[in-house]
Amino acid sequence: MAATPDLERIAAEPLGKRIGAYWRMTGPGYMQSAMTLGGGSVASCAAVGSLLGYELLWVQPLAMMLGFFVLAAIAKQVCATGERPYDVFWTRLHPFFALAWGVSAIVATVLWHIPQYSLTANGVVALGEGAGVNLDTQGTRIAIGAVVLLSACAVVYMYSRGAAGLKWYERAVKSLVWAIVIAFALVVITTGVRWGDLFLGITGVSFLQRVFSAEGVPPAAIGPIVGGMAAAVGINMVFLYPYSLLRKNWGKHHKELAFFDLLSGMALPFILATGFMIIAVANTVGPDPGDVGSKLEGAQSIRDIRQIIPVLAPTFGNFVGEGNGESVARLLIGLGMAAIGFSTIITHMLAGGFIGAEMLPDRYEKQARLIFTLLPAIGVVGVVMPFPITLAITASTLAAPLMPLTVACFLVLLNKKSFMGDAMPTGGYRILWNTMLAASVIIMSFAAYLALKDNWGKLKTEMGWASNVAHAAEKAPADAAPLTVSMPDGLDTRYAVFTHDAMATEWSFVLYARPQDQTPGELRSIADEAFAVIDDIEGRISRWKPGSQASEVNRRAAESPVRISPDFMEMLRIARTVSDETGGAFDVSVMPLIALWKEAAQANALPEDAAVAAAKGLVGMDRVVLDPKASTVAFKEAGMALDFGAIGKGFALDKAAEAIKRHGITTALLHGGTSSIVAIGAPPGTTGWSVGIRDPHDETQLLDDFRIADHALSTSAQGRPIVVDGEELGHIIDPKTGRPAHSDVLSATVIAPTAALADALSTAVFVMGVERTKVYCQDHPDAVVMVSGPGGTAWFNRVPGSVDGKSTFSGRS
Ligand code: AMP
Ligand code: MG
């Protein structure tokens, strides 16, 4: 209720006392705070800090200052006239302006609702991780969404009833928002502020330097700038604000209180929170001070708020002990993000109801309020679906120009004597108000122009990529493949999939676009070059091709040394090393035995022991002479032969990866022959490529799944063996016995720095068996091995860097 006498008394008090009195009366500003400090701002701060360090620190305060003047001008009008802005637009300007404002406010509310659900769900998932529970599955996420949605409906219902518990709810949210601000402030204090850069960043000097530098503004910076502008004061906030004033019956005497309320309730927490967050992210995961902008090339900004946890963990570790830092960070980020998301969900729903009720005729008010309160709830899809970027781009692009249009309407109204009466500003004040509002219109129009330009281009390419991605599903390798790779349900669809047949198997490469790539077609030539590398290697090392160097070696190397190309020599030397290190379990000279057992399978009769012994006499790397200087290979016995079935695909994959990296691609997955993988980088916003190993005995089951980045992986499985005379003829031979390997291994997976090594080892594990593999791994910490047999599945050297509930293997490449 209006407390006019009080306010008149307060207005006469000195400034200090006035502030104290106002502090106890604030209200609508905090409502704005809940709305503006949502998923959009958090995401934009994380992106800005991780990409450009301190350089964009000016964006949020500037946007907030403009927003403050716009809302203050609205407060001035509403407090003076007591009229409802939507009706004023309709009657005093033109119905078009009213409709455009209302519709875009609703569209913005619904769209900006989606990231709130993903923020809330990620917060809850982070809490689960803190408690050691994996909530990051489709099913649990849907359950989280349902609970959040129902709770939100309950709170909104309480609002309509004015229930008493709301005070506690509002206090809890406020405290958590401030706890987050304090948490980031702590990180800033402990990691230190680079004061010079801070000054250059807030004043925009360093950014201006970039604008006028030879490189200019990197295109990747435009999104965060425009996004930061848009996320500060949105068009739906402009709509909701005047009505929360009217509801409180704030009139003429509340003007000063309203300004104070906006500053303390909305602007201050927002500027502090976003500022601390940007500095904290920049200090910890941002670019090195001298190297700002370098990260823009890969454009790997933070996309999931849980990636912030490592930012906080070390600082908290100082206070609660190193081991607990991460858990406390998880708890706070989890709780805080869930609270921020949830409170924004509530305000959005309330705003939707307000706007709907205002736009429709009075007699439908009740229905309109109900429907428009529930409309944003479709955002619940955000719990499982990342932001639908194409939809968001289209809508925000269309809505962007309407914000300056609406502000222009308020500017016109402020200068209408017939509307404002005596409250119309005069003299110097009039100039000040008009300057600030005009500046808002101009800057917001410019941002809208940038958004339109940038988004139009993006939308076009997005469509191109999207159609390409749809295509990728058809190209996926056969279901029976021993390993599965799932593409992230990506925010970033700027990738393309290419397939190729070589080495009697299928190859499929996923290449993420470089910043300069506009269409999937631009990646095609890179993929083709890599496929040509594979074909070329096959042409030299295949024993099936009569003209290959390998065939020549197998024909003539017992007579005289045969010249081979340098990469062939490189592969042979890797093969020799693995052979030495596995005690001869891996041996590319096993060919005579392979031939013998193949014959046996065809003839359906086991070979004589003498024949096995004879073939065994032709096997062994000590009988293969390599001369790296002359680049030749020679055999000590006639009848020897080499087979690269266990290493060739991996080696070719390594060479293909080199070719792809030479072209500046930093994110790719090369999948060869359905059993080997080279992971280059990780898909944007993830810690690695998601890989699953199929159970060879039940193709519907996975033995395990995990993520890999900058590593190679290879898996071998013992398929259904041919049985002759009660003996199982597998395709892997134990060179020691001369017989098919019968170890306790049914499936072997190796994660290693190179695919050649992973491929060779995955074969060797079958021969070595579980115990010898374990010993090998103790001496070779570089190799991570998963073996699965009748007794279950075991991992060696697995050091999970668990970020998201799954093990992630990342690092060297
Ligand atoms: P992979 O599918 O990578 O496990 O390779 C299996 C192939 O490697 C077999 O089909 C043979 O061509 C070959 N091979 C069989 N036994 C050995 C062995 N002990 N060392 C090296 N290669 C082998
Ligand atoms: Mg292999």
Side-chain angles (χ1 to χ4, degrees):
M1 286 298 109
T4 318
D6 273 359
L7 278 167
E8 273 173 10
R9 185 177 51 73
I10 293 169
E13 301 268 10
L15 186 67
K17 281 213 166 149
R18 244 151 66 205
I19 288 179
Y22 287 152
W23 183 261
R24 289 186 287 277
M25 301 174 73
T26 53
Y30 259 107
M31 188 91 155
Q32 298 288 337
S33 180
M35 222 153 150
T36 178
L37 249 192
S41 297
V42 171
S44 122
C45 287
V48 160
S50 62
L51 287 177
L52 277 167
Y54 288 17
E55 238 176 65
L56 294 184
L57 271 171
W58 56 274
V59 174
Q60 317 273 8
L62 176 68
M64 192 31 83
M65 192 179 84
L66 297 177
F68 167 77
F69 272 98
V70 170
L71 293 178
I74 295 174
K76 193 169 165 60
Q77 295 181 17
V78 170
C79 289
T81 65
E83 287 192 49
R84 310 173 77 83
Y86 187 83
D87 298 342
V88 173
F89 272 38
W90 190 283
T91 52
R92 289 186 185 260
L93 298 172
H94 190 279
F96 167 78
F97 296 117
L99 280 173
W101 183 26
V103 170
S104 54
I106 295 227
V107 169
T109 304
V110 172
L111 260 164
W112 288 335
H113 211 60
I114 302 172
Q116 315 308 332
Y117 269 97
S118 69
L119 185 72
T120 311
N122 285 345
V124 176
V125 168
L127 274 179
E129 279 167 3
V133 189
N134 179 20
L135 298 176
D136 200 3
T137 69
Q138 189 98 350
T140 41
R141 278 179 171 269
I142 290 170
I144 293 170
V147 172
V148 171
L149 177 57
L150 288 176
S151 326
C153 289
V155 174
V156 167
Y157 180 74
M158 277 160 67
Y159 266 102
S160 73
R161 288 276 147 139
L166 284 174
K167 260 219 168 75
W168 293 102
Y169 160 76
E170 283 181 348
R171 270 187 209 154
V173 169
K174 261 189 224 177
S175 324
L176 269 166
V177 168
W178 281 106
I180 292 258
V181 174
I182 292 166
F184 281 105
L186 275 179
V187 177
V188 170
I189 292 166
T190 49
T191 53
V193 177
R194 302 192 301 272
W195 293 102
D197 289 349
L198 179 75
F199 177 76
L200 296 178
I202 290 187
T203 51
V205 172
S206 45
F207 184 73
L208 281 177
Q209 278 169 347
R210 185 181 288 283
V211 172
F212 293 110
S213 71
E215 306 132 58
V217 181
I222 293 179
I225 295 176
V226 176
M229 284 281 184
V233 173
I235 195 156
N236 51 350
M237 290 170 62
V238 171
F239 204 115
L240 183 66
Y241 179 65
Y243 292 96
S244 44
L245 292 178
L246 287 169
R247 217 183 156 158
K248 283 216 162 197
N249 278 329
W250 282 12
K252 275 196 195 85
H253 300 286
H254 294 77
K255 208 177 62 194
E256 204 177 53
L257 172 61
F259 296 164
F260 177 81
D261 175 52
L262 281 175
L263 279 178
S264 68
M266 174 185 75
L268 187 70
F270 181 83
I271 291 177
L272 287 181
T274 55
F276 284 141
M277 206 181 306
I278 293 175
I279 297 174
V281 171
N283 280 358
T284 47
V285 295
D288 294 333
D291 200 22
V292 173
S294 59
K295 295 211 169 178
L296 286 170
E297 283 306 306
Q300 289 262 16
S301 62
I302 287 185
R303 285 222 161 117
D304 178 340
I305 199 61
R306 285 172 293 158
Q307 286 174 270
I308 297 261
I309 290 166
V311 171
L312 297 172
T315 295
F316 289 165
N318 293 339
F319 297 96
V320 294
E322 220 173 285
N324 302 326
E326 181 157 334
S327 326
V328 176
R330 251 178 233 288
L331 194 73
L332 185 77
I333 286 286
L335 265 181
M337 293 301 149
I340 287 184
F342 188 71
S343 63
T344 310
I345 287 171
I346 306 285
T347 23
H348 274 167
M349 292 175 80
L350 291 172
F354 255 127
I355 302 168
E358 197 60 24
M359 286 181 73
L360 280 134
D362 282 352
R363 63 202 138 102
Y364 300 122
E365 198 197 309
K366 261 210 162 115
Q367 294 91 324
R369 190 177 296 276
L370 181 68
I371 292 169
F372 283 94
T373 301
L374 292 177
L375 195 60
I378 52 176
V380 73
V381 294
V383 294
V384 285
M385 198 177 71
F387 209 40
I389 200 149
T390 315
L391 181 72
I393 288 172
T394 322
S396 66
T397 303
L398 295 178
L402 294 173
M403 180 75 181
L405 185 71
T406 302
V407 176
C409 288
F410 280 111
L411 176 74
V412 170
L413 286 173
L414 194 71
N415 289 289
K416 261 195 189 216
K417 184 88 192 164
S418 61
F419 173 57
M420 292 296 290
D422 289 344
M424 192 181 99
T426 51
Y429 279 118
R430 187 169 178 185
I431 296 174
L432 178 72
W433 280 110
N434 281 314
T435 315
M436 291 317 296
L437 290 184
S440 296
V441 174
I442 291 167
I443 294 178
M444 286 168 182
S445 304
F446 187 64
Y449 160 77
L450 283 182
L452 281 172
K453 205 175 104 185
D454 190 43
N455 289 344
W456 176 242
K458 260 197 213 145
L459 189 66
K460 276 200 306 197
T461 51
E462 201 65 41
M463 296 307 212
W465 298 110
S467 64
N468 183 67
V469 170
H471 221 69
E474 299 163 24
K475 294 183 190 161
D479 280 347
L483 56 86
T484 68
V485 178
S486 33
M487 290 302 296
D489 346 296
L491 274 175
D492 198 335
T493 54
R494 283 167 39 86
Y495 61 78
V497 184
F498 304 97
T499 54
H500 181 67
D501 280 321
M503 301 191 177
T505 177
E506 186 168 308
W507 303 68
S508 97
F509 290 4
V510 181
L511 307 184
Y512 267 82
R514 299 160 299 177
Q516 72 266 31
D517 295 321
Q518 292 300 308
T519 62
E522 288 173 37
L523 298 171
R524 151 102 18 224
S525 62
I526 300 176
D528 283 344
E529 186 185 317
F531 292 142
V533 167
I534 293 170
D535 289 344
D536 178 47
I537 293 178
E538 180 183 16
R540 276 173 291 129
I541 68 161
S542 167
R543 66 179 167 91
W544 306 99
K545 296 196 188 264
S548 73
Q549 294 183 353
S551 292
E552 203 187 342
V553 167
N554 286 349
R555 266 196 311 270
R556 290 203 309 106
E559 295 159 26
S560 61
V562 176
R563 255 189 97 81
I564 55 172
S565 53
D567 53 352
F568 194 166
M569 177 58 75
E570 186 187 340
M571 184 179 78
L572 272 172
R573 296 181 69 183
I574 299 172
R576 158 155 290 167
T577 310
V578 179
S579 187
D580 290 347
E581 292 176 349
T582 58
F586 177 82
D587 193 331
V588 291
S589 71
V590 77
M591 185 60 218
L593 285 166
I594 294 175
L596 182 72
W597 286 97
K598 190 157 183 212
E599 250 170 57
Q602 277 163 357
N604 201 12
L606 291 177
E608 302 286 326
D609 287 350
V612 174
K616 232 176 76 178
L618 298 173
V619 172
M621 283 307 280
D622 52 338
R623 297 182 177 89
V624 177
V625 186
L626 301 182
D627 183 346
K629 278 220 185 82
S631 199
T632 60
V633 53
F635 294 154
K636 286 185 177 167
E637 317 274 345
M640 289 176 62
L642 304 178
D643 168 75
F644 303 109
I647 189 174
K649 280 184 280 183
F651 183 75
L653 216 44
D654 286 332
K655 295 292 159 189
E658 280 172 22
I660 282 166
K661 285 191 206 162
R662 269 201 298 279
H663 284 282
I665 288 189
T666 53
T667 310
L669 185 95
L670 317 186
H671 193 177
T674 71
S675 62
S676 289
I677 277 177
V678 168
I680 301 175
T686 71
T687 52
W689 297 87
S690 189
V691 172
I693 306 295
R694 278 217 174 82
D695 183 340
H697 294 287
D698 181 356
E699 274 150 22
T700 62
Q701 298 292 315
L702 292 182
L703 289 173
D704 208 339
D705 61 337
F706 43 83
R707 293 175 182 277
I708 73 170
D710 291 322
H711 265 75
L713 173 148
S714 193
T715 190
S716 285
Q718 193 72 280
R720 200 170 293 276
I722 305 167
V723 181
V724 176
D725 258 2
E727 180 151 16
E728 291 186 351
L729 306 187
H731 68 305
I732 294 173
I733 311 285
D734 182 347
K736 282 251 161 63
T737 62
R739 301 187 164 274
H742 281 302
S743 68
D744 45 2
V745 176
L746 292 172
S747 159
T749 300
V750 178
I751 298 161
T754 69
L757 185 61
D759 193 359
L761 281 176
S762 69
T763 306
V765 167
F766 275 89
V767 179
M768 293 195 288
V770 177
E771 275 314 305
R772 273 172 72 195
T773 301
K774 192 172 169 184
V775 174
Y776 173 92
C777 287
Q778 281 161 4
D779 297 339
H780 298 87
D782 250 6
V784 180
V785 178
M786 184 188 93
V787 283
S788 169
T793 299
W795 280 89
F796 302 124
N797 288 342
R798 180 190 211 178
V799 189
S802 174
V803 179
D804 50 6
K806 284 185 179 177
S807 289
T808 301
F809 303 97
S810 60
R812 144 195 42 244
S813 128

